[in-house]
Amino acid sequence: MRIAILDDYQGVALDLADWDSLHAEVHVFAEAFENEEAVETALAEYEVVVAMRERTPFPPSTLERLPRLKLLVTTGPVNAAIDLDAAHRLGITVCGTGYFSYPTVELTWGLILSAARLIPQQVDSVRRGGWQEGLGASLKGATLGVLGLGRLGTAVAEIGRAFGMQTIAWSKNLTPADAQAKGTTYVSRDELFTRSDVLSIHVVLSERTRGLVGERELGLMKSTAILVNTSRGPVVDEAALLRALVEKRIGSAALDVFDHEPLPADHPLRSLSNAVVTPHIGYVSRDLYEVFYRDAVEDIAAWNAGTPVRMLS
């Protein structure tokens, strides 16, 4: 059995699970594939592929190029980048792993604090031999707007209240009663953007949410507001956000997700002083990776024994 582990950017997959127990040939791919042809070339001889979240897409056209593929394991319980219907049609079993969301909640607050208190700029100043630069903003008494009050958004709002922030929320299916039950005030969509000192995005990417935050919404925001996105890049119109940052129509953006990942080396977000940018590490923590790879090994062993577990439908 030949197993391919994809997108192991940190080179940690082999150390976090007992791959030897599978008695298989295991290969690790550390770099992202440039295109569909590169995926086919690299994976043509593998029966089992372990995908890291949605880093490598598997649409029908890619799956059809991999006739030897029999088992596709994704880290996490869902993966929008895998076409499940096509996989089932081609006889490919798809399995998931365990998951927990608190690393993303923690990173969200790391980004909020970094942007509000200008932490990256201050660290850079000290490293350059300087001292204090600029004035950060306190969070107590400020308004935290949450776009999407699901599991993640609710946890982010709860921490905001611990900082003494007022919390408001909107999403298409949110009701005032639901928001109140979660300790947060329901507001209209426009009011969410106009009132928020910090606006944090926590909606699932879909055709309904793609471009949900665009030129109009950014235009409603305060000139001092912080936009935070740890959800998915395309929820925000990236071109409109770049214009707002360059023209300083909003205070700053703190971003962990982007339209294209990895973020191109020459992308302007890398050099904007009012953008705090991290490389999609919301879920990248040792304890979660241990769950991912441990469960992936279990998935492969169970499938090989003819009793697959954690199958995705």
Side-chain angles (χ1 to χ4, degrees), residues 72-96:
L72 179 54
V73 177
T74 175
T75 54
V78 296
N79 189 325
I82 297 174
D83 190 303
L84 293 178
D85 290 338
H88 295 158
R89 172 172 52 83
L90 294 167
I92 301 168
T93 301
V94 183
C95 297

Side-chain angles (χ1 to χ4, degrees), residues 12-277:
V12 297
L14 296 181
D15 296 329
L16 295 179
D18 185 9
W19 298 95
D20 291 342
S21 67
L22 297 172
H23 306 290
E25 187 177 336
V26 182
H27 294 268
V28 173
F29 293 84
E31 302 296 328
F33 298 116
E34 291 185 3
N35 50 44
E36 200 169 34
E37 289 71 25
V39 174
E40 178 187 12
T41 300
L43 303 182
E45 300 302 317
Y46 290 91
E47 300 164 81
V48 179
V49 169
V50 178
M52 174 54 73
R53 303 287 285 158
E54 297 167 357
R55 292 176 182 174
T56 298
F58 287 92
S61 55
T62 296
L63 294 171
E64 289 166 358
R65 292 170 181 246
L66 303 173
R68 291 179 181 264
L69 180 61
K70 300 302 177 187
L71 174 65
L72 179 54
V73 177
T74 175
T75 54
V78 296
N79 189 325
I82 297 174
D83 190 303
L84 293 178
D85 290 338
H88 295 158
R89 172 172 52 83
L90 294 167
I92 301 168
T93 301
V94 183
C95 297
T97 71
Y99 180 76
F100 44 79
S101 58
Y102 60 79
T104 301
V105 175
E106 293 168 355
L107 181 75
T108 298
W109 275 99
L111 289 172
I112 292 171
L113 290 168
S114 293
R117 297 301 300 273
L118 308 181
I119 291 174
Q121 295 93 318
Q122 307 297 357
V123 170
D124 183 61
S125 176
V126 172
R127 284 179 174 166
R128 289 186 285 104
W131 201 234
Q132 297 178 7
E133 290 189 4
L135 292 174
S138 299
L139 296 175
K140 184 176 176 63
T143 298
L144 170 65
V146 181
L147 181 57
L149 199 62
R151 183 182 64 255
L152 284 165
T154 298
V156 168
E158 182 179 358
I159 295 170
R161 290 191 295 276
F163 275 101
M165 301 183 77
Q166 303 175 45
T167 58
I168 60 175
W170 175 87
S171 63
K172 186 170 183 180
N173 295 320
L174 182 66
T175 67
D178 289 340
Q180 184 177 22
K182 296 177 179 181
T184 298
T185 301
Y186 173 87
V187 295
S188 69
R189 176 172 170 171
D190 283 3
E191 192 176 358
L192 181 76
F193 289 94
T194 58
R195 285 183 55 186
S196 295
D197 295 297
V198 177
L199 177 63
S200 193
I201 298 170
H202 301 285
V203 294
V204 175
L205 179 62
S206 67
E207 288 310 307
R208 189 175 69 187
T209 61
R210 187 178 297 272
L212 183 62
V213 181
E215 191 80 50
R216 178 181 177 278
E217 290 74 24
L218 293 166
L220 295 173
M221 296 179 69
K222 299 177 182 180
S223 62
T224 54
I226 301 168
L227 178 71
V228 184
N229 190 5
T230 57
S231 176
R232 288 293 184 270
V235 174
V236 179
D237 181 331
E238 193 171 274
L241 176 59
L242 279 168
R243 287 191 294 271
L245 290 170
V246 169
E247 296 168 10
K248 294 184 168 46
R249 289 186 277 112
I250 64 171
S252 61
L255 309 170
D256 187 49
V257 290
F258 311 92
D259 283 1
H260 301 286
E261 298 179 4
L263 193 65
D266 60 350
H267 198 286
L269 279 171
R270 289 181 180 267
S271 58
L272 286 178
S273 62
N274 55 349
V276 178
V277 177

